[in-house]
Amino acid sequence: MNQFTVRLLRTFLTLWGVVTLTFVLGRLTGDPVALMLPQTATMEDYARLKDALGLNESVSTQYIIYLSNLVRGDFGTSLAYSRPALDVVAERIPATLELGIPSFILSVFLSIPLGVWAACRRNGFTDRAIMTFSLAGQAMPSFFIGIALILIFGVSLRLTPTFGRDTFAHLILPTITLTIYPLAFLIRLTRSSMLEVLNETYINAARAKGLREWRVIFVHALRNALIPVVTIIGLQIAGLISGAAIVETVFAWPGIGLLAVQSIGARDYPVIQTIVLISAIAFSLTNLLIDSTYILIDPRIRAS
Amino acid sequence: MSELTTPVRNAQASAGSPWWRLLVKTWKRKSTPAVNISFIVLAVIVGLVVFANLVSPLDPNAINLRHRLQPPPWLSEAGSWEYPLGTDATGRDIFTRILYGGRISLLIGFVSTMIGMVVGTFLGVISGYVRGWADQFIMYLVDVQLSLPFILLAVAVALVLGRSLAVLIGIAALSTWPYYTRVVRGTVLSLRGREFFLAAWALGGSHWHIMTTHLLPNLLSPVFVLVTLNLNRIILLESGLSFLGIGVQPPTPSWGNMINEGRDYLNSAWWLAAMPGIALAILTVAIGTVGDWLRDVTDVVTQ
């Protein structure tokens, strides 16, 4: 089989696993009807919902119905909104992307130069400063960073709005908060990957040829150092979605993360399940794309 | 995804002496000021938290509405040294609550890390040693879990199973096993090709003998590094979940839920959120520093 097919099959298999997991989780309580109904529901409500959910069928039939519904784009009905869960979630996606995309771009385009810079000044002052930032950025919880930013820029200096999603200025603090963790993480990764590559003999060869240092760094070293970095960038997307749940809560930003957290109070399992599934799909497809690119560009992977 | 392997240095050498002696030796040779400070900070935090009831005479849940929202005495005249870090919205002492909240965080961190380590290492050994379909299946589970945004999965689990300490510990333990499994599997795979391993095999050593005397000692240093790094991951996860309201339930204090309660008072009483936040940051930076150092000196590849 060719590598694309194998990779594609693996993606489907993984997604199938995620789907099965949400199914099992939904049935774990033993009585999903009780989970979904408000506390004031009557026995008739109970019977009606149980029948409507197909819960009088056997588990295997339920599973097949569940799968076929998902394939047709039916993710169940939101209990809090009484509308299709997929619609409820889809409305919130733009808000999350508004934070997620700038954070993603910022973290990637800041981390690579900073990581290269730190690697080139190994153990120097610049390196230590950058690595201290990186350590702190990874160790501090994002909700605390968010609250600290609100305190400093919103409450004390009154420079930025502190919560909500009305103007461009509202984007600033949540985007910074969401960016810090992946930025810190990718700096560290770029630095260690660069340090490894700079030890290779082809770097010595490039220097011996008399190439300028910037050419050695950016053309010969960086291109190879980026391979592991790009893989991890794909994996960071799951982290961004998790981070969004917290950052959106801190800043009352109406995206899917806040929706997920609000759904806990409403016991809205279909909505949470939809969010989990959609993010897993987004994540798997991105990584499929990245891995396929590798198969194309890296001869070592193509050969193996 | 790239194959994860762990270079194993001094494999036979490390098999002889107990792991803690090795650790002390490494520390003597390679410690840095930052690492030493971190060890001291950690010792102080653990001491304060474990002996919370001796350090502070106050009850963490004692409500005193006459003393509500008092600032720390070193910031404002309005504060009193009875409450060194001020009081919260119901007049509870923040310092005492931080001590007891730290107990919960460290307890969950420790228990969950141990569970995650045991489960993850076990599956990693099976994966790397038995190979075949067991390996395929375990690595498939790793893939499935790593393709989920974990906080959302935790939200779903908390919704279904309810919010209790046991569920929280379970969620936290579940969050880290794949990291152990991947690294341990990689290490076992690289050990399989080594002479001492092949020799043990050729001499007819039983699987049990090979695993306990030849594999486990060599897994100690990568697993130890991962324990340190994952302890941080779990403490951050617990505080994040408590912040979202699905972790430790009030009135039991936890640094995460204290920060959450303090959010409503950012304008008037910022220390409510800031004090537990600073405590959390000091703890995680110290653990992170030690973890990074261990990773560097043991040469373990974890990502």
Side-chain angles (χ1 to χ4, degrees):
Chain A
M1 261 191 295
N2 92 35
Q3 290 201 351
F4 282 114
T5 328
V6 174
R7 190 63 187 75
L8 196 66
L9 273 177
R10 278 187 55 164
T11 304
F12 274 111
L13 213 59
T14 308
L15 284 177
W16 177 59
V18 173
V19 166
T20 309
L21 188 67
T22 54
F23 175 82
V24 172
L25 208 50
R27 300 293 179 280
L28 258 189
T29 41
D31 193 356
V33 186
L35 178 78
M36 291 179 180
L37 281 175
Q39 259 117 10
T40 53
T42 61
M43 282 312 282
E44 286 83 64
D45 293 332
Y46 182 88
R48 203 157 355 109
L49 184 62
K50 187 164 186 180
D51 198 47
L53 290 170
L55 291 174
N56 294 321
E57 311 283 344
S58 69
V59 176
S60 55
T61 318
Q62 286 178 35
Y63 181 59
I64 291 166
I65 295 174
Y66 176 79
L67 285 182
S68 72
N69 282 346
L70 287 184
V71 172
R72 284 184 283 114
D74 178 2
F75 284 69
T77 307
S78 159
L79 308 168
Y81 298 87
S82 308
R83 286 192 296 135
L86 188 59
D87 293 357
V88 175
V89 174
E91 283 165 10
R92 301 287 199 106
I93 290 178
T96 296
L97 291 182
E98 247 173 66
L99 290 185
I101 292 175
S103 290
F104 184 72
I105 295 175
L106 275 176
S107 59
V108 171
F109 287 92
L110 288 176
S111 64
I112 293 173
L114 286 173
V116 172
W117 195 13
C120 293
R121 298 269 182 280
R122 186 177 192 180
N123 293 331
F125 175 75
T126 316
D127 183 25
R128 280 178 207 277
I130 293 175
M131 291 317 284
T132 305
F133 166 79
S134 169
L135 175 70
Q138 274 188 286
M140 293 218 281
S142 60
F143 58 92
F144 182 60
I145 295 175
I147 284 175
L149 289 176
I150 290 180
L151 274 174
I152 297 168
F153 294 101
V155 176
S156 298
L157 303 174
R158 303 198 177 280
L159 285 176
T160 52
T162 49
F163 60 87
R165 177 187 174 226
D166 299 319
T167 62
F168 179 76
H170 283 89
L171 258 175
I172 300 171
L173 295 186
T175 308
I176 295 175
T177 312
L178 192 56
T179 307
I180 287 186
Y181 184 86
L183 175 63
F185 181 80
L186 290 175
I187 286 178
R188 170 178 304 248
L189 192 72
T190 312
R191 175 181 177 273
S192 63
S193 180
M194 269 305 274
L195 287 177
E196 210 165 291
V197 170
L198 286 172
N199 275 330
E200 298 278 347
T201 45
Y202 59 78
I203 296 298
N204 291 338
R207 284 191 177 132
K209 270 199 308 191
L211 292 181
R212 284 173 201 284
E213 187 62 15
W214 68 264
R215 216 182 139 74
V216 174
I217 303 278
F218 289 100
V219 179
H220 292 252
L222 184 59
R223 274 172 57 173
N224 289 296
L226 279 184
I227 292 174
V229 179
V230 174
T231 314
I232 299 293
I233 286 174
L235 297 175
Q236 283 297 300
I237 290 173
L240 268 179
I241 299 172
S242 275
I246 286 184
V247 172
E248 287 173 5
T249 307
V250 173
F251 291 96
W253 188 269
I256 56 171
L258 184 61
L259 178 65
V261 174
Q262 286 167 340
S263 302
I264 309 169
R267 300 203 299 170
D268 201 343
Y269 186 72
V271 164
I272 291 187
Q273 168 187 291
T274 310
I275 294 174
V276 169
L277 290 176
I278 299 244
S279 18
I281 292 171
F283 174 81
S284 301
L285 291 184
T286 322
N287 284 293
L288 175 67
L289 201 70
I290 289 178
D291 287 2
S292 312
T293 326
Y294 276 146
I295 300 175
L296 284 178
I297 61 170
D298 189 342
R300 284 172 299 185
I301 299 176
R302 210 170 15 194
S304 65
Chain B
M1 234 170 281
S2 58
E3 188 80 359
L4 287 149
T5 52
T6 310
V8 181
R9 290 194 180 167
N10 304 326
Q12 290 94 331
S14 68
S17 53
W19 63 274
W20 51 267
R21 195 171 292 164
L22 204 73
L23 189 72
V24 171
K25 209 194 269 174
T26 316
W27 173 74
K28 274 185 183 157
R29 274 190 294 135
K30 297 185 177 168
S31 72
T32 64
V35 170
N36 291 335
I37 294 171
S38 300
F39 273 124
I40 295 170
V41 168
L42 287 178
V44 170
I45 292 178
V46 171
L48 283 175
V49 160
V50 169
F51 299 107
N53 45 346
L54 302 179
V55 178
S56 166
L58 301 172
D59 177 347
N61 292 325
I63 290 172
N64 187 343
L65 292 177
R66 283 194 305 155
H67 291 157
R68 63 192 297 269
L69 298 177
Q70 276 193 7
W74 37 274
L75 273 173
S76 151
E77 295 286 300
S80 106
W81 283 104
E82 197 189 344
Y83 309 113
L85 298 180
T87 59
D88 71 3
T90 50
R92 297 174 296 192
D93 179 36
I94 293 178
F95 178 65
T96 310
R97 287 181 70 74
I98 287 180
L99 294 180
Y100 283 87
R103 246 186 205 184
I104 298 279
S105 289
L106 287 181
L107 176 78
I108 293 174
F110 186 74
V111 175
S112 307
T113 305
M114 289 303 125
I115 298 175
M117 177 194 80
V118 170
V119 172
T121 306
F122 177 74
L123 291 177
V125 169
I126 298 290
S127 222
Y129 190 82
V130 180
R131 308 296 317 262
W133 67 266
D135 183 23
Q136 299 274 340
F137 183 67
I138 291 170
M139 292 324 282
Y140 168 65
L141 291 182
V142 168
D143 272 359
V144 169
Q145 177 158 344
L146 292 182
S147 66
L148 287 167
F150 195 79
I151 293 236
L152 294 182
L153 182 66
V155 166
V157 172
L159 175 72
V160 170
L161 296 183
R163 310 165 197 182
S164 69
L165 193 61
V167 171
L168 188 60
I169 289 178
I171 291 176
L174 183 69
S175 73
T176 55
W177 73 268
Y179 302 104
Y180 295 98
T181 303
R182 274 163 52 157
V183 172
V184 166
R185 174 179 178 270
T187 312
V188 172
L189 287 182
S190 78
L191 287 171
R192 282 171 71 105
R194 311 259 312 213
E195 294 82 358
F196 70 92
F197 190 87
L198 295 172
W201 215 330
L203 289 169
S206 69
H207 292 314
W208 178 249
H209 170 80
I210 292 177
M211 284 194 205
T212 49
T213 51
H214 297 287
L215 284 185
L216 285 182
N218 288 305
L219 292 174
L220 278 176
S221 79
V223 168
F224 195 75
V225 173
L226 281 174
V227 162
T228 323
L229 298 173
N230 282 323
L231 181 60
N232 239 4
R233 220 189 282 259
I234 284 180
I235 288 175
L236 288 176
L237 177 75
E238 179 273 314
S239 67
L241 291 176
S242 299
F243 174 76
L244 294 177
I246 52 178
V248 177
Q249 296 300 306
T252 305
S254 125
W255 294 351
N257 70 27
M258 289 174 73
I259 296 174
N260 191 23
E261 286 165 14
R263 274 166 74 205
D264 297 336
Y265 299 92
L266 287 184
N267 278 312
S268 51
W270 54 267
W271 57 91
L272 261 62
M275 295 306 164
I278 291 168
L280 186 57
I282 292 174
L283 176 68
T284 52
V285 168
I287 298 177
T289 308
V290 172
D292 281 354
W293 171 76
L294 275 175
R295 177 169 52 188
D296 290 345
V297 298
T298 53
D299 234 339
V300 172
V301 178
T302 52
Q303 288 287 350

